[in-house]
Amino acid sequence: MSTRTQHEASSSSKRWMHDVFLSFRGEDTRNGFTGHLCMTLKEAGVNVFIDNQLRRGEEITAELVQAIRGSRISVVVFSKRYADSSWCLQELVEIMECRRRLGQIVLPVFYEVDPSHVRKQTSASFAQAFQKHEECFHEDTDKVARWRAALTEASNLSGWDLKNTANGHEAQFIRRIIGEITKQLDTTYLNVAVYQVGIDSRVNEINSLDKGSYDVQMVGIWGMGGMGKTSVAKAIYNKFYHSFVYKSFLGNVRETAKELNGMTNLQEKLLSDIFKPTKMEVGDVHRGINLIKEKLRSRAVLVIIDDVDDVDQLNALAIARDSFGRGSKIFITTRDRHLLEQVEVNIIYLARKMKEEEALELFSWHAFRNPCPNEEYSELTRSVLGYCGGLPLALEVLGSFLFKRSLRDWTSTLKKLEKIPRFEIQEKLKISFDALSDEDEREIFLDISCFFIGMDRNYVTRILDGCGFFAEIGISVLLQRCLVTVDEKNKLVMHDLLRDMGREIVRAKFPNHPGRCSRLWCQEDAIGVLTDKSGTEEIEGLALNLLRPDKANFNMKAFKKMKSLRLLQLNRVQLTGEYKHLSEKLRWICWRGFPLKFIPKKALNQLRSLVSIDLRYSNLRRFWEHSMLLEKLKILNLSHSYFLKQLPNFSKLPNLEYLVLKGCKSLLEIHHSVGCLERLALVNLKDCIMLKDLPKSFYKLKHVETLVLSGCSRFQNLVADIGEMVSLTTLLIDNTAIEELPYSSIARLKNLTRLSLCGLKLIEPNPSVWPLVLTREYPPELHCSISSEDIRTIDLFSNAFHILPRNHKRKTTSGDGVIFPPGNDIAKWFTNVDNEGDRVCFQVPQITGSNLKLLTVCTVYSSSLHKDTPLNHFAIFITNHTKIISFVVRPMDPYTITSNEVIWQGHLSNKELSLERGDSIEVYIVMGSGFRVKKTGVHLVWDPELINENVIEFEAIPYAYFRSDVEYEAGPSHVSLDENRPRDELWYV
């Protein structure tokens, strides 16, 4: 939804032609109530537009449309015969559209008419009016529908009802309306933005996090530069402005604090805002701190502190819970999460980038002065949106710059942006980089922005540690400053504009001499430097990714002067000459498509200090010609080296931690010396199709956490010694040739959290049960596609799995996310449980940095009927009492009772449920006659826990069935449990 600024900072005449537009039916109230209201508004100094002509006809005039759109507030006076006038109804449609698009305030007044009659149009006068309209406009039913919708929407807004206000005293009624309107027109509101797109939704998100459980609420709004934190803070100030007698907005704290007497000025502004019109002086910072505590600790205050970058700034403003009175709200915007943690805020809200539709609308307002782009600019607009990546600052800057420019100008601008970021955006984002006080942190940021985006955080940490940086704490600081993020797969992620900012910092030092830049990532620059051998000692990193290996051929002499080279990425690059020219300072070499059959000895002489070797898709037959001690090597990735048959003697790689050999299809064996690798943590042998087993020495390793053998189609022997690998957390043996599992050994792996056995063809005896004892609090996962007839008894008492085998069912289905584990109890890791019935009520908790993805529902049920009775009526009702909406789930796989009690468990996606933090939820299980629900449990799965699981379909149903004043037993009976009912039908209230 797009809204222009709702409240301006000074004279409204700069934006609004009128303060108030009066909408009414002239024959009903012109010479009475509306006339008195208009006169009183004018006497109060309010600029009112009132249409003094008696209008008839269907369409309102352009003059009236302009007046509506130019008014800050519309007051709609509903009277008994209001709906008789098609003119009034069309006027109302335009008013409600202005509310949605321009942020206009709409205030309904119900004059001698019940609000419910307006809302439902069921009273005699409204019903008769619409009967005439439907007869008159029978060929344009959409118009009548819009009128009805506008009446319903307007009557649901907060307004005034004469019958229930001031005991029906009309003069007092008008006085109250005037008071509210003048309050809304208060010029002390802050100017939020020229085009207020997406801000209200973010304010609502923040507001929803407040459950009123704090005496003093402190909220941090955290995010990267240009994400709209200040605009959101201003909107919050405007929202709560009239709820507080004492309030202050301290803007641009970071810059103000740098000025002479900056902190005392901020202290004085805080106190002066609170105690207007008294001007307060504090003298010095320490006295100011005491004065703030003394004056404010007994008062409920609203304080916004915008753009803080140092905890000392907050300390100087006495920002602590005991400095303010009960009911106070303190909001802090910053780019530094750690700062918020230091002052122990109650809530941290991560400012998110704009959704695609929001970004399109905001950009269009700036570039076209419309909510959507001009047709001929549509494709170019999409390109600009892709560049901006949902960053409001970039959308505003580029939209304003491109306003009224030609298609050729747009195309030229986009080409320029590929090389040089826009200055206004660059400078705003660079503030976060400049705030990094540690040189290591700056170097780590620049390395990531140039080379490591999309790489595993642990790998990058090892590489940068090898470069002499303290990467663990360095990356943590970058995360806190929103300069980098980590996704659910532990990959380093950076906003494209932050990436470009980092790269521009490097480029700007020597814009015309790439050979002198510290890092080269641009293909054109890298090719130029390697071709003319213009590299210098300043180069610390170089990346060149070619699409084809025959595109260019370079000589090793090009590296001769690059004595400081630490990071080298050469993908599908052909090099000739001697390896002695490579820098001895190299810590990371990534050379995909490495052309040689082995690594030459002379190359190894230069690469003794390597921390990571990545030679994916290489032509290697064996690792090296002559073995050599590589004492610092921690990561070895030779994946998809299809001709590789011989691995190195691992005793020469004593500190190796990660061994990745995915898709090495010619590899026959793992060298027995692998048992020497005491630090080895991960081994990935996926799709090594010639590999049959692992050396016995491998199973003696105590620090291996991950072992992947999936797709090793000839791998047959997983020995019992695997039980000795005490650190193992992940074991994936899908689609191997294993026919016998060492069950007792696997059960001994106390740290195992992920076990995948899909596609195994076991020849074990066929037991009738497969008990899984679910006891641990932390919920791991188990993937398995083998049936209960193919697996023998295995007691995983210490290895409680959160996600049970996807296809471990009595009846095979098409993948609806359902399982039927044996037993008569709900797993302990379920967070919301009713041990005696069919209903669970809970509130979605506040979890920062995670998104709710699934609801795992579990129910224990039994039957009073004879065995083998099919359960043919089964439904789950999910009611969101906060949003007033309900859904029904009808599982597709009803289960035949074969024992006294059965557990059903399934996953429900939150994509359609849209449950959010703070929502009050009720889950209710209904079963057919003869079946009894004994226990019900619900577990919330957040995105870090989620492994792609199948989910069950559901549909929305009327919330009215689940109102608190309706008997629950009666509620669901109104909804048919007919499985033939269309699943894509959605009913909303």
Side-chain angles (χ1 to χ4, degrees):
M1 180 183 75
S2 170
T3 57
R4 289 206 182 222
T5 309
Q6 294 184 19
H7 310 289
E8 290 296 343
S10 54
S11 172
S12 63
S13 62
K14 293 180 180 179
R15 285 255 351 273
W16 305 104
M17 294 186 296
H18 313 287
D19 291 329
V20 173
F21 178 91
L22 283 177
S23 174
F24 61 99
R25 186 172 185 267
E27 295 178 22
D28 289 356
T29 64
R30 180 189 303 278
N31 298 322
F33 172 79
T34 301
H36 296 151
L37 176 62
C38 179
M39 181 180 67
T40 310
L41 282 169
K42 289 181 178 179
E43 289 174 351
V46 177
N47 178 9
V48 185
F49 180 92
I50 182 169
D51 183 12
N52 287 312
Q53 300 182 43
L54 188 62
R55 306 281 187 173
R56 299 188 185 278
E58 299 174 20
E59 300 298 331
I60 59 177
T61 64
E63 175 196 1
L64 271 184
V65 171
Q66 186 178 7
I68 292 170
R69 293 179 181 177
S71 297
R72 189 168 172 180
I73 298 174
S74 280
V75 176
V76 184
V77 181
F78 290 114
S79 53
K80 287 184 178 179
R81 310 303 303 183
Y82 184 91
D84 286 2
S85 170
S86 59
W87 185 280
C88 286
L89 293 171
Q90 193 61 32
E91 196 173 83
L92 182 62
V93 169
E94 180 65 32
I95 288 171
M96 300 313 292
E97 180 68 15
C98 286
R99 177 178 179 268
R100 285 188 293 273
R101 291 200 166 274
L102 303 178
Q104 187 180 90
I105 301 168
V106 179
L107 303 174
V109 176
F110 302 95
Y111 183 76
E112 295 185 348
V113 63
D114 194 292
S116 66
H117 295 167
V118 180
R119 185 180 304 116
K120 300 177 181 178
Q121 301 107 51
T122 54
S123 67
S125 60
F126 277 81
Q128 290 169 8
F130 271 96
Q131 184 177 356
K132 291 180 181 178
H133 293 323
E134 286 167 351
E135 291 173 357
C136 182
F137 300 103
H138 64 277
E139 293 183 357
D140 192 1
T141 57
D142 286 347
K143 174 178 285 190
V144 179
R146 286 195 297 271
W147 292 347
R148 285 186 180 275
L151 284 169
T152 301
E153 184 181 358
S155 61
N156 279 322
L157 299 175
S158 177
W160 300 273
D161 177 10
L162 176 60
K163 292 181 181 178
N164 299 311
T165 306
N167 295 319
H169 193 284
E170 194 167 303
Q172 292 183 18
F173 184 58
I174 288 176
R175 184 179 300 171
R176 291 194 182 185
I177 295 172
I178 300 300
E180 178 63 26
I181 289 173
T182 54
K183 185 190 293 185
Q184 295 283 1
L185 292 171
D186 193 329
T187 56
T188 54
Y189 279 111
L190 298 175
N191 179 19
V192 176
V194 178
Y195 303 104
Q196 196 168 321
V197 179
I199 293 176
D200 287 346
S201 64
R202 286 152 178 81
V203 171
N204 292 335
E205 286 175 2
I206 295 171
N207 197 40
S208 70
L209 300 176
D210 177 14
K211 300 307 167 190
S213 57
Y214 310 110
D215 288 345
V216 175
Q217 185 201 54
M218 294 173 59
V219 178
I221 303 173
W222 165 60
M224 65 178 282
M227 198 58 81
K229 299 183 296 297
T230 298
S231 296
V232 170
K234 289 179 178 179
I236 288 172
Y237 183 80
N238 291 345
K239 179 180 180 69
F240 291 112
Y241 181 86
H242 287 292
S243 301
F244 288 85
V245 176
Y246 307 106
K247 53 243 175 184
S248 176
F249 185 97
L250 300 178
N252 203 15
V253 170
R254 174 178 52 82
E255 287 299 322
T256 304
K258 295 177 183 177
E259 299 171 359
L260 183 64
N261 301 320
M263 283 315 306
T264 56
N265 291 339
L266 286 168
Q267 291 174 327
E268 290 171 355
K269 176 170 171 39
L270 172 61
L271 290 167
S272 298
D273 285 350
I274 298 294
F275 296 106
K276 282 180 179 178
T278 304
K279 293 291 184 183
M280 306 284 285
E281 293 185 1
V282 299
D284 62 67
V285 172
H286 298 293
R287 182 174 181 275
I289 294 172
N290 292 332
L291 199 58
I292 290 170
K293 290 181 176 181
E294 177 186 332
K295 297 287 186 181
L296 303 187
R297 64 163 44 104
S298 61
R299 290 178 168 84
V301 299
L302 170 66
V303 178
I304 313 285
I305 308 139
D306 177 52
D307 195 15
V308 180
D309 70 345
D310 193 317
V311 73
D312 288 342
Q313 296 160 4
L314 296 178
N315 293 335
L317 294 168
I319 302 303
R321 213 165 271 106
D322 59 359
S323 298
F324 308 102
R326 183 182 179 87
S328 294
K329 290 181 181 290
I330 314 298
F331 294 87
I332 305 164
T333 74
T334 182
R335 306 179 187 208
D336 187 353
R337 181 188 176 97
H338 187 240
L339 180 151
L340 300 173
E341 293 167 344
Q342 286 177 285
V343 295
E344 299 181 303
V345 299
N346 305 109
I347 298 166
I348 296 178
Y349 173 79
L350 176 60
R352 55 181 173 83
K353 67 180 183 180
M354 302 192 88
K355 297 177 181 177
E356 185 176 350
E357 61 272 19
E358 292 174 331
L360 176 62
E361 186 173 351
L362 179 62
F363 176 77
S364 297
W365 277 117
H366 283 278
F368 305 104
R369 304 299 188 261
N370 281 307
C372 54
N374 297 343
E375 186 174 353
E376 65 271 26
Y377 285 84
S378 294
E379 287 302 316
L380 287 171
T381 295
R382 292 293 174 188
S383 298
V384 176
L385 295 185
Y387 173 81
C388 293
L391 190 70
L393 168 69
L395 294 163
E396 293 171 7
V397 168
L398 290 176
S400 299
F401 176 75
L402 293 169
F403 176 58
K404 286 195 172 180
R405 295 190 184 274
S406 67
L407 288 169
R408 293 178 65 181
D409 288 343
W410 278 54
T411 302
S412 177
T413 298
L414 282 168
K415 288 181 178 179
K416 183 178 179 180
L417 289 172
E418 291 176 3
K419 291 192 172 184
I420 305 174
R422 188 82 188 157
F423 176 78
E424 303 96 308
I425 302 171
Q426 168 86 358
E427 287 304 295
K428 185 77 172 180
L429 297 179
K430 192 171 177 286
I431 291 169
S432 297
F433 177 82
D434 292 338
L436 297 173
S437 57
D438 187 279
E439 189 62 29
D440 278 4
E441 293 164 6
R442 295 187 178 205
E443 294 297 318
I444 290 170
F445 172 78
L446 296 178
D447 278 348
I448 293 174
S449 65
C450 293
F451 305 115
F452 295 134
I453 295 173
M455 281 186 60
D456 184 90
R457 177 184 179 177
N458 294 332
Y459 288 10
V460 175
T461 299
R462 301 297 189 278
I463 294 166
L464 295 178
D465 277 343
C467 293
F469 305 140
F470 297 93
E472 194 68 51
I473 183 61
I475 292 176
S476 294
V477 170
L478 298 183
L479 287 166
Q480 292 166 347
R481 300 291 179 95
C482 273
L483 285 168
V484 69
T485 57
V486 177
D487 68 12
E488 65 279 1
K489 294 182 179 179
N490 205 39
K491 307 291 186 184
L492 293 175
V493 180
M494 186 180 289
H495 193 285
D496 288 353
L497 293 176
L498 284 174
R499 176 203 63 196
D500 293 348
M501 179 268 288
R503 293 179 175 183
E504 178 61 13
I505 289 172
V506 174
R507 189 200 70 86
K509 288 187 176 181
F510 300 100
N512 299 316
H513 302 283
R516 298 186 62 189
C517 291
S518 63
R519 295 160 181 86
L520 292 176
W521 66 91
C522 173
Q523 180 170 302
E524 181 181 343
D525 290 342
I527 289 176
V529 168
L530 293 179
T531 300
D532 57 24
K533 302 178 180 61
S534 58
T536 65
E537 194 168 349
E538 279 106 335
I539 296 179
E540 297 179 34
L542 183 149
L544 177 57
N545 296 289
L546 301 180
L547 297 177
R548 300 194 314 273
D550 58 344
K551 187 172 182 180
N553 198 316
F554 307 101
N555 193 284
M556 282 288 187
K557 288 182 180 179
F559 296 96
K560 186 174 183 178
K561 296 179 182 178
M562 302 184 197
K563 302 298 184 183
S564 302
L565 192 65
R566 300 179 287 111
L567 311 170
L568 179 61
Q569 184 178 41
L570 298 171
N571 293 338
R572 290 168 291 277
V573 173
Q574 298 288 334
L575 290 176
T576 59
E578 298 183 74
Y579 286 84
K580 67 179 183 180
H581 299 299
L582 288 176
S583 168
E584 294 182 355
K585 293 183 179 180
L586 268 178
R587 297 297 184 269
W588 172 60
I589 186 167
C590 176
W591 193 343
R592 298 181 188 177
F594 181 71
L596 304 183
K597 294 181 180 180
F598 54 81
I599 301 176
K601 183 178 180 180
K602 290 182 179 180
L604 291 171
N605 284 330
Q606 298 297 112
L607 306 178
R608 290 173 184 267
S609 297
L610 276 174
V611 174
S612 174
I613 296 177
D614 183 347
L615 301 181
R616 278 176 267 186
Y617 298 96
S618 75
N619 197 39
L620 290 173
R621 268 58 171 176
R622 61 183 189 274
F623 182 66
W624 48 27
E625 181 182 19
H626 299 286
S627 63
M628 184 172 294
L629 182 65
L630 300 179
E631 196 169 10
K632 295 183 179 180
L633 190 68
K634 295 185 178 182
I635 303 167
L636 179 60
N637 190 340
L638 305 177
S639 295
H640 309 293
S641 296
Y642 299 127
F643 309 107
L644 181 67
K645 293 184 178 181
Q646 183 179 329
L647 291 176
N649 181 340
F650 290 107
S651 65
K652 300 295 185 180
L653 315 176
N655 293 304
L656 194 66
E657 296 180 20
Y658 299 92
L659 178 61
V660 186
L661 301 168
K662 290 191 297 182
C664 293
K665 298 184 177 182
S666 300
L667 187 64
L668 295 170
E669 62 178 4
I670 305 298
H671 198 278
H672 63 84
S673 59
V674 71
C676 300
L677 301 178
E678 296 180 357
R679 296 176 180 269
L680 194 61
L682 178 145
V683 179
N684 190 339
L685 301 168
K686 183 180 180 181
D687 295 329
C688 291
I689 58 176
M690 301 299 290
L691 191 66
K692 294 183 179 181
D693 57 19
L694 294 170
K696 288 187 178 182
S697 60
F698 176 82
Y699 296 101
K700 299 185 184 299
L701 295 173
K702 303 298 184 183
H703 290 94
V704 174
E705 297 175 4
T706 300
L707 174 59
V708 181
L709 294 167
S710 303
C712 296
S713 54
R714 299 190 185 188
F715 192 94
Q716 297 177 327
N717 189 19
L718 189 68
V719 302
D721 289 347
I722 194 169
E724 302 298 321
M725 302 182 73
V726 294
S727 298
L728 203 61
T729 62
T730 299
L731 176 60
L732 310 181
I733 52 176
D734 313 73
N735 302 306
T736 59
I738 295 173
E739 296 179 338
E740 181 177 359
L741 283 173
Y743 301 107
S744 60
S745 297
I746 293 175
R748 282 160 41 210
L749 297 173
K750 306 304 182 185
N751 292 308
L752 194 64
T753 60
R754 188 178 181 195
L755 172 64
S756 188
L757 311 172
C758 298
L760 298 190
K761 297 178 181 179
L762 301 178
I763 58 174
E764 289 296 318
N766 300 331
S768 60
V769 294
W770 184 26
L772 296 174
V773 184
L774 309 176
T775 58
R776 284 211 322 216
E777 292 300 319
Y778 178 77
E781 324 152 16
L782 172 65
H783 289 276
C784 178
S785 63
I786 53 181
S787 68
S788 59
E789 287 75 22
D790 291 330
I791 190 165
R792 66 186 296 176
T793 302
I794 174 171
D795 185 351
L796 301 175
F797 183 83
S798 298
N799 300 317
F801 291 98
H802 170 217
I803 300 174
L804 288 168
R806 186 181 333 194
N807 297 317
H808 185 63
K809 314 169 189 176
R810 288 296 181 91
K811 295 174 66 178
T812 303
T813 70
S814 59
D816 58 2
V818 178
I819 60 167
F820 293 97
N824 60 0
D825 205 356
I826 291 174
K828 290 184 179 180
W829 47 262
F830 273 83
T831 48
N832 307 283
V833 177
D834 178 0
N835 282 313
E836 298 180 353
D838 52 13
R839 182 179 292 110
V840 172
C841 298
F842 61 92
Q843 188 176 59
V844 180
Q846 311 290 345
I847 296 183
T848 303
S850 298
N851 295 313
L852 181 60
K853 294 296 185 180
L854 297 177
L855 272 71
T856 300
V857 178
C858 185
T859 183
V860 179
Y861 63 96
S862 62
S863 172
S864 59
L865 307 175
H866 58 78
K867 292 185 178 181
D868 299 327
T869 300
L871 171 59
N872 50 18
H873 293 306
F874 182 13
I876 305 170
F877 295 90
I878 303 100
T879 302
N880 188 328
H881 292 292
T882 301
K883 295 180 179 175
I884 316 180
I885 191 168
S886 296
F887 296 84
V888 63
V889 177
R890 295 181 175 83
M892 296 290 291
D893 193 14
Y895 184 46
T896 300
I897 288 285
T898 58
S899 60
N900 292 332
E901 293 180 337
V902 173
I903 301 177
W904 178 96
Q905 183 175 311
H907 302 305
L908 312 181
S909 171
N910 193 42
K911 185 175 182 181
E912 296 298 333
L913 292 173
S914 298
L915 306 187
E916 296 179 332
R917 298 168 178 84
D919 286 355
S920 295
I921 308 301
E922 180 177 359
V923 176
Y924 180 33
I925 308 292
V926 177
M927 291 192 174
S929 177
F931 290 85
R932 177 191 168 206
V933 179
K934 303 182 74 173
K935 299 178 182 181
T936 304
V938 176
H939 178 73
L940 307 184
V941 181
W942 302 83
D943 54 6
E945 301 178 31
L946 184 63
I947 300 296
N948 293 326
E949 285 295 309
N950 295 331
V951 295
I952 309 169
E953 296 179 1
F954 50 85
E955 60 184 288
I957 61 172
Y959 172 79
Y961 296 145
F962 296 92
R963 295 200 320 268
S964 59
D965 58 345
V966 178
E967 289 295 327
Y968 282 105
E969 284 72 23
S973 67
H974 293 286
V975 183
S976 169
L977 295 181
D978 181 6
E979 291 293 340
N980 295 320
R981 182 172 166 187
R983 290 183 175 274
D984 57 353
E985 181 181 357
L986 298 178
W987 300 350
Y988 290 95
V989 178

